[in-house]
Every structure is written in C-alpha cells, then in structure tokens.
Amino acid sequence: RPRKSAYLLCEVAERARDAGIAVCGPGVDFREIGKAIQGVADEANYDNFPMAHGHGIGSYFHGRPQVEHVRSTKDVGLMRPGMTFTIEPVLIEQKNADWEMLGDDPWIVRARSAAWSAQFEHTILITDTGHQVLTGPSVDYKALAKESLQ
C-alpha cells in the first residue's frame, strides 16, 4: 500500500517535470528548464537528484543536448525549432539525500536512507512557436492510488 507521502512525492515530481516543460520554446536557454524544476523541488523541500539528465532524441538515443534538471551554469545553448529531447527529473523525498549505485549498472541508484523517489518523463519537440509534448499520457497514478489511500 502506498503511503500518502509517496503520493505527494509523485504529485510534486510530475509538477516539476511540467514546470520544466512550460519554459520550453525557440530561443530559450536550456538552463531555464533546470531553474524551473529546481524551484518546484525546493518549494516542496525535496531533493532534486543531480545525476538525472534529459537528453536529445534523434538518430541516436542519449545524445545532445544534455538537459540539466538542476540550476546550472553549464551552457548547452538555446532551444531551436526541430530539437527533440527529454525532460525527466528525479525527486527524492529526503533533502540532501546520500545515494549509491547498485552494482555496475549506472542506471540503478538508490538513496542510502531508503528514501522514496519519483520520476516522470516526457519527450519534447521545439516548434517555431513553442513546444509540443510527443509522449503520453502518463499512467494515472492518482486513480491507482486513490483506493489505497482511503
């Protein structure tokens, strides 16, 4: 059974992803995505896992641009029409969580404290006038959890 705190973490992680998407458009600095996501995480007092990045989608899988989900000084340029990339922040319910990789697979990490984490992802296309979400809809976790939380 999920705890209410896990449900709230999911709500904030989804809201953080959506805040990152909302700033996307032609001519926008990629760093704006991280600022928006970090703002939502900070407001909720959650950790924003710094090793999770979005990435370009094209004739390659994990390519440029590397999309930072935290505030960053790293300049990866401006968004241009036709660019396709992911936004996929990972939030952890514990602030300043210490984490570790499990085994040799860099894709599997956990908080040493066993704190819960949540990740939501979309693929974004930059258009001439803004952006388009190419993926979705997400699993309706709210409906799934509703019965368990009553």
Coordinates of all heavy atoms in Angstrom, one line a residue, residues 3-39:
R3 N 2.1 5.0 0.8 CA 1.8 6.0 1.8 C 1.4 7.3 1.2 O 1.7 7.6 0.0 CB 3.1 6.2 2.6 CG 3.6 5.0 3.3 CD 4.8 5.3 4.2 NE 5.7 6.3 3.6 CZ 7.0 6.1 3.3 NH1 7.5 4.9 3.6 NH2 7.7 7.0 2.8
K4 N 0.7 8.1 1.9 CA 0.3 9.4 1.4 C 1.6 10.3 1.0 O 1.5 11.0 0.0 CB -0.5 10.2 2.4 CG -1.0 11.5 1.9 CD -2.2 12.0 2.6 CE -2.6 13.3 1.9 NZ -4.0 13.4 1.6
S5 N 2.7 10.1 1.8 CA 3.9 10.9 1.4 C 4.4 10.5 0.0 O 4.9 11.3 -0.7 CB 4.9 10.7 2.5 OG 5.3 9.3 2.6
A6 N 4.3 9.2 -0.3 CA 4.7 8.7 -1.6 C 3.8 9.3 -2.7 O 4.3 9.8 -3.8 CB 4.7 7.2 -1.7
Y7 N 2.5 9.4 -2.5 CA 1.6 10.0 -3.4 C 2.0 11.5 -3.6 O 2.0 12.0 -4.7 CB 0.2 9.9 -2.8 CG -0.9 10.5 -3.7 CD1 -1.4 9.8 -4.8 CD2 -1.4 11.8 -3.4 CE1 -2.4 10.4 -5.5 CE2 -2.4 12.3 -4.2 CZ -2.9 11.7 -5.2 OH -3.9 12.2 -6.0
L8 N 2.2 12.2 -2.5 CA 2.6 13.6 -2.6 C 3.9 13.8 -3.4 O 4.0 14.8 -4.2 CB 2.6 14.3 -1.2 CG 1.3 14.3 -0.5 CD1 1.5 14.8 1.0 CD2 0.3 15.2 -1.2
L9 N 4.9 12.9 -3.1 CA 6.1 13.0 -3.9 C 5.9 12.9 -5.4 O 6.4 13.6 -6.2 CB 7.1 11.9 -3.4 CG 8.4 11.7 -4.2 CD1 9.2 12.9 -4.0 CD2 9.1 10.5 -3.6
C10 N 5.0 11.9 -5.8 CA 4.6 11.8 -7.2 C 4.0 13.0 -7.7 O 4.3 13.5 -8.8 CB 3.7 10.6 -7.4 SG 4.5 9.0 -7.2
E11 N 3.1 13.6 -7.0 CA 2.5 14.9 -7.5 C 3.5 16.0 -7.7 O 3.5 16.7 -8.7 CB 1.5 15.4 -6.4 CG 0.2 14.7 -6.5 CD -0.9 15.4 -5.6 OE1 -0.6 15.9 -4.6 OE2 -2.1 15.3 -6.0
V12 N 4.5 16.1 -6.8 CA 5.5 17.2 -6.9 C 6.4 16.9 -8.1 O 6.8 17.7 -8.8 CB 6.2 17.4 -5.6 CG1 7.4 18.4 -5.8 CG2 5.3 17.9 -4.5
A13 N 6.8 15.6 -8.2 CA 7.7 15.2 -9.3 C 7.0 15.5 -10.7 O 7.7 16.0 -11.6 CB 8.1 13.7 -9.2
E14 N 5.8 15.2 -10.8 CA 5.0 15.5 -12.0 C 5.0 17.0 -12.3 O 5.2 17.5 -13.4 CB 3.7 14.9 -11.9 CG 2.9 15.0 -13.2 CD 1.5 14.2 -13.2 OE1 0.9 14.3 -12.1 OE2 1.2 13.6 -14.2
R15 N 4.7 17.7 -11.2 CA 4.6 19.2 -11.3 C 6.0 19.8 -11.7 O 6.1 20.7 -12.5 CB 4.1 19.8 -10.0 CG 3.7 21.2 -10.1 CD 2.9 21.7 -8.9 NE 3.6 21.8 -7.7 CZ 3.4 21.1 -6.6 NH1 2.4 20.3 -6.5 NH2 4.1 21.2 -5.5
A16 N 7.1 19.2 -11.2 CA 8.4 19.7 -11.5 C 8.7 19.4 -13.0 O 9.2 20.3 -13.7 CB 9.5 19.0 -10.7
R17 N 8.4 18.2 -13.5 CA 8.5 18.0 -14.9 C 7.8 19.0 -15.8 O 8.3 19.5 -16.7 CB 8.1 16.5 -15.2 CG 8.3 16.2 -16.7 CD 7.3 15.2 -17.3 NE 5.9 15.6 -17.0 CZ 4.9 14.7 -16.9 NH1 5.1 13.4 -17.1 NH2 3.7 15.2 -16.7
D18 N 6.5 19.2 -15.4 CA 5.7 20.1 -16.1 C 6.2 21.5 -16.1 O 6.0 22.3 -17.1 CB 4.2 20.0 -15.6 CG 3.6 18.7 -16.0 OD1 4.1 17.9 -16.8 OD2 2.5 18.4 -15.4
A19 N 6.8 21.9 -15.0 CA 7.3 23.3 -14.9 C 8.5 23.4 -15.9 O 8.7 24.4 -16.5 CB 7.8 23.6 -13.5
G20 N 9.3 22.3 -16.0 CA 10.4 22.3 -16.9 C 9.9 22.4 -18.3 O 10.5 23.1 -19.2
I21 N 8.9 21.7 -18.6 CA 8.3 21.8 -20.0 C 7.7 23.1 -20.3 O 7.9 23.6 -21.4 CB 7.2 20.7 -20.1 CG1 7.8 19.3 -20.1 CG2 6.4 20.9 -21.4 CD1 6.8 18.2 -20.0
A22 N 7.1 23.8 -19.4 CA 6.4 25.0 -19.6 C 7.3 26.1 -20.1 O 6.9 27.0 -20.8 CB 5.7 25.5 -18.3
V23 N 8.6 26.1 -19.7 CA 9.5 27.2 -20.1 C 10.1 26.9 -21.5 O 10.8 27.8 -22.1 CB 10.7 27.4 -19.1 CG1 10.1 27.7 -17.8 CG2 11.6 26.1 -19.0
C24 N 9.8 25.8 -22.1 CA 10.5 25.4 -23.4 C 9.9 26.2 -24.6 O 8.7 26.4 -24.7 CB 10.3 23.9 -23.7 SG 11.2 22.9 -22.6
G25 N 10.8 26.6 -25.5 CA 10.4 27.3 -26.7 C 11.6 27.7 -27.5 O 12.7 27.7 -26.9
P26 N 11.4 28.2 -28.7 CA 12.6 28.6 -29.5 C 13.3 29.8 -28.9 O 12.6 30.7 -28.4 CB 12.0 28.9 -30.9 CG 10.5 29.2 -30.6 CD 10.2 28.4 -29.4
G27 N 14.6 29.7 -28.8 CA 15.4 30.8 -28.3 C 15.6 30.8 -26.8 O 16.3 31.7 -26.2
V28 N 15.0 29.8 -26.1 CA 15.1 29.7 -24.6 C 16.4 29.0 -24.3 O 16.7 28.0 -24.9 CB 13.9 29.0 -24.1 CG1 14.0 28.8 -22.6 CG2 12.6 29.8 -24.4
D29 N 17.1 29.5 -23.3 CA 18.3 28.9 -22.8 C 17.9 27.6 -22.1 O 17.0 27.6 -21.3 CB 19.0 29.8 -21.8 CG 20.4 29.4 -21.4 OD1 20.5 28.2 -21.0 OD2 21.3 30.2 -21.4
F30 N 18.6 26.5 -22.4 CA 18.3 25.2 -21.7 C 18.4 25.3 -20.2 O 17.7 24.5 -19.5 CB 19.2 24.1 -22.2 CG 18.8 23.5 -23.5 CD1 19.3 23.9 -24.7 CD2 17.8 22.5 -23.5 CE1 18.8 23.3 -25.9 CE2 17.3 21.9 -24.7 CZ 17.8 22.3 -25.9
R31 N 19.2 26.2 -19.7 CA 19.3 26.3 -18.2 C 18.0 26.7 -17.5 O 17.8 26.4 -16.3 CB 20.4 27.3 -17.8 CG 21.8 26.8 -18.2 CD 22.8 27.8 -17.9 NE 22.8 28.8 -19.0 CZ 23.8 29.6 -19.3 NH1 24.9 29.5 -18.6 NH2 23.7 30.4 -20.3
E32 N 17.0 27.3 -18.3 CA 15.7 27.6 -17.7 C 15.0 26.4 -17.3 O 14.2 26.5 -16.3 CB 14.9 28.4 -18.7 CG 15.5 29.8 -19.1 CD 15.7 30.7 -17.8 OE1 14.8 30.8 -17.0 OE2 16.8 31.3 -17.7
I33 N 15.2 25.3 -17.9 CA 14.5 24.0 -17.5 C 14.9 23.7 -16.1 O 14.1 23.4 -15.2 CB 14.8 22.9 -18.5 CG1 14.2 23.2 -19.9 CG2 14.3 21.6 -18.0 CD1 14.7 22.3 -21.0
G34 N 16.2 23.6 -15.8 CA 16.7 23.3 -14.5 C 16.2 24.3 -13.4 O 15.9 23.8 -12.3
K35 N 16.2 25.5 -13.8 CA 15.7 26.5 -12.8 C 14.3 26.3 -12.4 O 13.9 26.3 -11.2 CB 15.8 27.9 -13.4 CG 17.2 28.5 -13.5 CD 17.2 29.9 -14.0 CE 18.5 30.4 -14.5 NZ 18.4 31.7 -15.2
A36 N 13.5 26.0 -13.4 CA 12.0 25.7 -13.1 C 11.8 24.5 -12.3 O 11.1 24.5 -11.4 CB 11.3 25.6 -14.5
I37 N 12.5 23.4 -12.7 CA 12.4 22.1 -11.9 C 12.9 22.3 -10.5 O 12.3 21.9 -9.6 CB 13.1 21.0 -12.7 CG1 12.4 20.7 -14.0 CG2 13.3 19.8 -11.8 CD1 13.2 19.8 -14.9
Q38 N 14.1 22.9 -10.4 CA 14.6 23.1 -9.0 C 13.7 24.0 -8.1 O 13.6 23.7 -6.9 CB 16.0 23.8 -9.1 CG 16.8 23.8 -7.8 CD 17.2 22.4 -7.4 OE1 17.8 21.7 -8.1 NE2 16.8 22.0 -6.2
G39 N 13.1 24.9 -8.7 CA 12.2 25.8 -7.9 C 11.0 25.0 -7.3 O 10.7 25.2 -6.2

